[in-house]
């Protein structure tokens, strides 16, 4: 029986930790490539779309009276239908967590550890995530809160470049020079996902503490960070140059100089390690919770290693940064679809049951 609920401030911080990912380092380029000059003006539209999706999740919460989504699905669907779905989405979530860990591994290997075997660095991410997953949700969220304070400072280091920004680099043209297509637009949207995990945290939410207001605040903070770093990077590099930089938000840190510190961009990216652990942990936790609906009599200490082994076998071919990007893009589209479709399906079913 779950009695302790998550306070609002932890929900706000957790929302940011789950939403912002490695795309934070490339979003200025992605926005410029997709929408052209002053493309950052489009980002508030993404904020509104995600806000609508959060509203759908809040509607599920109200209609179900805060019932655990897994228990709700178990109650309204037969095992013959739900168990195969649970198995597939569990594999999907665990594979997505592994791919995300691999993507971070490839980047940090390029930056700091070119001679270190990839699997060494991958284990350094996956092992803490597994240990966190086997803990209670309260310990996971407390760890996420601590990691937030350890890493948030890096974003605002970009304030050092305010004096280097030139207004002429923003261009007087609006949304010109972009190459927008559906895939590139959705790729940016994937950078806002992560909020859908709260659909599975209903038992830990307290309606009296207004959890969804906290979610909106956390989402607004993430959106602000994305817009902020995009404006800073475009003002520093200029539109034409930023198109040629793979990770502009990371590259900009290399221009910070301290007399007592060199290669600060490596330190900044290393602090991002904590965010990756939190996100991977929630992928594993959600996958494990779904699988426990099928094998409720088996210990999670047995289920999780089996899931990880299957996930590693499935994602075995994602052994380069380019391949990891392809997997992340395709899996991200599926994740985005689930974030919209699952609340809609549950709302329809709950409305029918109520009438």
């Amino acid at each position: 029986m779950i009695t302790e609920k998550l306070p609002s401030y932890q929900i706000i911080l957790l929302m940011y930790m789950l939403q912002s990912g490695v795309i934070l380092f490339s979003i200025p380029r992605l926005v410029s490539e997709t929408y052209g000059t002053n493309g950052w003006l489009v980002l508030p539209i993404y904020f509104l779309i995600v806000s609508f999706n959060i509203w759908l999740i809040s509607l599920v919460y109200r209609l179900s009276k805060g019932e655990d989504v897994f228990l709700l699905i178990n109650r309204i669907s037969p095992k013959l239908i739900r168990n195969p779905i649970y198995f597939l989405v569990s594999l999907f979530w665990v594979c997505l967590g592994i791919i995300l860990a691999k993507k971070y591994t490839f980047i940090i290997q390029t930056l700091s550890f070119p001679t270190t075997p990839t699997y060494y660095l991958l284990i350094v991410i996956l092992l803490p995530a597994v240990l966190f997953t086997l803990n209670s949700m309260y310990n996971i969220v407390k760890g996420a809160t601590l990691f937030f304070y350890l890493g948030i400072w890096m974003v605002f280091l970009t304030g050092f470049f305010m004096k280097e920004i030139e207004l002429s680099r923003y261009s007087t043209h609006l949304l010109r020079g972009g190459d927008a297509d559906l895939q590139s637009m959705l790729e940016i949207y994937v950078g806002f996902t992560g909020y859908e995990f709260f659909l599975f945290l209903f038992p830990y939410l307290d309606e009296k503490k207004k959890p969804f207001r906290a979610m909106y605040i956390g989402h607004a903070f993430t959106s602000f960070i994305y817009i902020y770093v995009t404006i800073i990077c475009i003002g520093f590099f200029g539109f034409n140059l930023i198109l040629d930089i793979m990770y502009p938000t990371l590259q900009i840190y290399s221009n910070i100089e301290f007399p007592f510190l060199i290669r600060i961009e490596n330190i900044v990216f290393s602090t991002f390690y904590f965010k990756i652990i939190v996100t991977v942990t929630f992928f594993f936790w959600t996958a494990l919770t779904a699988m426990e609906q099928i094998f409720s009599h088996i210990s999670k200490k047995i289920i999780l290693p089996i899931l990880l082994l299957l996930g590693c076998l499935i994602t075995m071919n994602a052994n380069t940064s380019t391949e990891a990007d392809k997997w992340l893009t395709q899996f991200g589209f599926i994740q985005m679809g689930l974030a919209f479709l699952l609340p809609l399906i549950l709302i329809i079913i709950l409305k029918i049951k109520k009438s």
Side-chain angles (χ1 to χ4, degrees), residues 110-183:
T110 302
L111 288 175
S112 305
F113 304 102
T115 60
T116 305
T118 303
Y119 63 89
Y120 280 3
L121 298 173
L122 188 60
I123 290 173
V124 170
I125 299 173
L126 294 182
L127 184 57
V130 169
L131 295 176
F132 261 105
T133 304
L134 295 175
N135 268 275
S136 67
M137 178 51 61
Y138 306 113
N139 289 333
I140 293 173
V141 175
K142 287 176 182 176
T145 303
L146 174 62
F147 292 160
F148 170 85
Y149 291 119
L150 288 175
I152 191 59
W153 61 271
M154 70 176 187
V155 175
F156 297 104
L157 277 180
T158 52
F160 279 93
F161 304 106
M162 288 295 186
K163 61 182 180 181
E164 303 292 337
I165 290 175
E166 295 182 12
L167 294 179
S168 60
R169 292 171 182 158
Y170 291 108
S171 173
T172 56
H173 301 295
L174 183 63
L175 306 182
R176 183 177 295 183
D179 187 21
D181 56 31
L182 182 60
Q183 179 168 333

Side-chain angles (χ1 to χ4, degrees), residues 72-120:
L72 174 62
I73 294 173
N74 292 347
R75 182 165 54 82
I76 63 179
S77 62
K79 285 186 177 181
L80 189 63
I81 295 177
R82 68 173 183 264
N83 282 356
I85 295 176
Y86 280 152
F87 181 75
L88 290 176
V89 295
S90 292
L91 284 180
F92 166 75
W93 280 318
V94 81
C95 286
L96 189 49
I98 292 171
I99 290 295
L100 181 62
K102 282 189 174 185
K103 176 60 181 177
Y104 178 84
T105 297
F106 293 136
I107 297 175
I108 200 170
Q109 188 177 38
T110 302
L111 288 175
S112 305
F113 304 102
T115 60
T116 305
T118 303
Y119 63 89
Y120 280 3

